[in-house]
Amino acid sequence: MKELTYSKAINEALREEMARDSKVLVLGEEVGVPRGGVFGVTQGLEEEFGKSRVRNTPISEMAIAGAAVGASLLGYRPVAEIMYVDFITLAMDQIVNQAAKVRYMFGGKARPSLVIRTQGGVGRGGAAQHSQSLEIWFATIPGLKVAMPATPADAKGMLKAAIRDDNPVIFIEHKKLYATRGMVPEGDHVVPLGKAEVKRQGTAATIVTYSYMVLEALAAAEQLAARGIDVEVVDLRSVNPIDWERVLSSVKKTGKLIAVYEACKTGGLGAEICSRAAEELFDYLDAPVQRVAGLDTPIPYNRKLERAAIPNADQIVAAVDRVL
């Protein structure tokens, strides 16, 4: 094991996969020299692998996604970076109507083996056009996989799995996670997509969450543990496919469910989690399901208002108290 930041773990995954397979390409705005992307995640890759495999692109999300789809159909494994998930709106046709559909439309003969890396969430004062959580858009599209790791170890392992996958993967990295640190296994560390993980064991209630909200849920769990309340924290890691077996088995054990997500409350992923639990585990639930989510509002630029628009550990604690 070694300690890495979240951003360094992603960089290491890219470097290892590019060294392992010459068909792996990186493309996007400023991904090469000098910056290595807006968050510096691809720093050093152009120097090591050259401009033919690390390509700075024009400021055109449609072109970036379209080039990635085309390259994947020719046998390459492109990793395209869209600077912010907000800008992915400009590439929706290429991702939703082409990448997600082509394997089905050609009877499995086409292999859209591409990864779209992008950044989501709040925390940097990015305001309404640079701070959204849009994962639900992609989680509802058959043919797309959506990964949202919360730890450096998962970031590295899941990105390696995504690059090797023969399906298109939307890989969303939360901006506030880049500087976080954690222990990462050395060697060829691969984390399968679609497998949730229990980040903390407990019996009082189940908190289901993903991405940066995993950290808030664990902080809430610490507060509750000081009062003698042990909650279980389930990190989805992938929001499509969802590991329903792991989620429902935890809820069945505790009898109480709190779904936590940063995106707007209305229509968010937590609604699907709560609906599935109500459909399949009604007789096991000892209290109404709870959602702790972002407000249905554009994200403000003001830092205090920004913090007020998304969930925090105190709100999660309050939700657990309600179900108990």
Side-chain angles (χ1 to χ4, degrees):
M1 303 284 282
K2 59 182 175 182
E3 187 178 56
L4 295 175
T5 63
Y6 189 98
S7 59
K8 182 62 176 176
I10 295 171
N11 181 278
E12 192 168 277
L14 289 168
R15 177 173 280 104
E16 290 179 7
E17 289 303 297
M18 293 182 78
R20 187 186 67 86
D21 185 352
S22 63
K23 295 293 186 179
V24 178
L25 314 174
V26 170
L27 66 154
E29 298 168 23
E30 301 181 345
V31 295
V33 174
R35 297 193 63 182
V38 67
F39 295 101
V41 173
T42 56
Q43 235 173 24
L45 297 182
E46 183 182 317
E47 294 92 325
E48 185 170 347
F49 298 101
K51 291 184 178 181
S52 64
R53 294 183 64 194
V54 181
R55 292 178 175 260
N56 287 325
T57 67
I59 303 174
S60 172
E61 285 73 22
M62 181 181 290
I64 295 168
V69 174
S72 72
L73 297 178
L74 291 174
Y76 292 92
R77 293 187 176 271
V79 182
E81 179 173 327
I82 302 295
M83 192 177 286
Y84 293 95
V85 73
D86 315 70
F87 302 164
I88 216 165
T89 55
L90 299 165
M92 290 297 277
D93 179 67
Q94 300 293 342
I95 295 171
V96 173
N97 287 329
Q98 307 304 326
K101 307 291 193 294
V102 68
R103 188 170 186 177
Y104 295 86
M105 294 175 68
F106 288 89
K109 294 181 180 179
R111 190 184 68 184
S113 51
L114 69 144
V115 179
I116 303 287
R117 284 187 49 248
T118 190
Q119 297 81 25
V122 312
R124 296 172 61 95
Q129 296 172 328
H130 299 74
S131 305
Q132 296 176 87
S133 299
L134 303 178
E135 60 273 5
I136 192 65
W137 288 5
F138 304 102
T140 61
I141 301 297
L144 293 179
K145 294 185 177 182
V146 185
M148 298 188 69
T151 66
D154 287 344
K156 179 180 179 179
M158 292 175 70
L159 183 54
K160 289 170 76 75
I163 292 171
R164 299 179 191 186
D165 203 299
D166 287 339
N167 300 283
V169 180
I170 310 299
F171 199 91
I172 304 176
E173 303 153 12
H174 197 289
K175 303 176 191 70
K176 288 180 70 174
L177 289 173
Y178 281 130
T180 60
R181 307 183 71 88
M183 301 306 294
V184 179
E186 296 197 55
D188 192 24
H189 172 59
V190 180
V191 176
L193 302 180
K195 294 293 184 183
E197 181 180 50
V198 176
K199 288 290 197 279
R200 182 182 179 120
Q201 298 280 348
T203 57
T206 296
I207 299 172
V208 178
T209 188
Y210 57 93
S211 192
Y212 181 76
M213 283 297 125
V214 172
L215 276 61
E216 293 290 342
L218 290 172
E222 288 293 330
Q223 292 184 36
L224 292 161
R227 294 162 43 194
I229 302 170
D230 287 322
V231 296
E232 186 148 293
V233 178
V234 179
D235 178 5
L236 291 177
R237 301 199 290 192
S238 296
V239 299
N240 189 23
I242 291 176
D243 186 353
W244 289 114
E245 182 179 356
R246 180 66 59 88
V247 171
L248 296 178
S249 65
S250 177
V251 177
K252 189 174 181 179
K253 177 178 73 173
T254 66
K256 302 172 187 69
L257 168 64
I258 301 97
V260 180
Y261 52 108
E262 186 176 305
C264 295
K265 185 174 185 177
T266 300
L269 192 70
E272 178 63 26
I273 294 166
C274 291
S275 295
R276 183 69 69 96
E279 286 176 350
E280 300 189 23
L281 299 178
F282 184 79
D283 291 338
Y284 291 92
L285 290 170
D286 298 326
V289 294
Q290 296 284 309
R291 285 182 291 164
V292 180
L295 301 181
D296 293 332
T297 179
I299 299 298
Y301 168 72
N302 178 279
R303 289 300 181 95
K304 290 184 178 179
L305 293 177
E306 181 187 55
R307 288 194 296 271
I310 63 167
N312 57 42
D314 290 341
Q315 294 174 16
I316 299 170
V317 169
V320 173
D321 285 339
R322 288 195 296 271
V323 300
L324 292 180

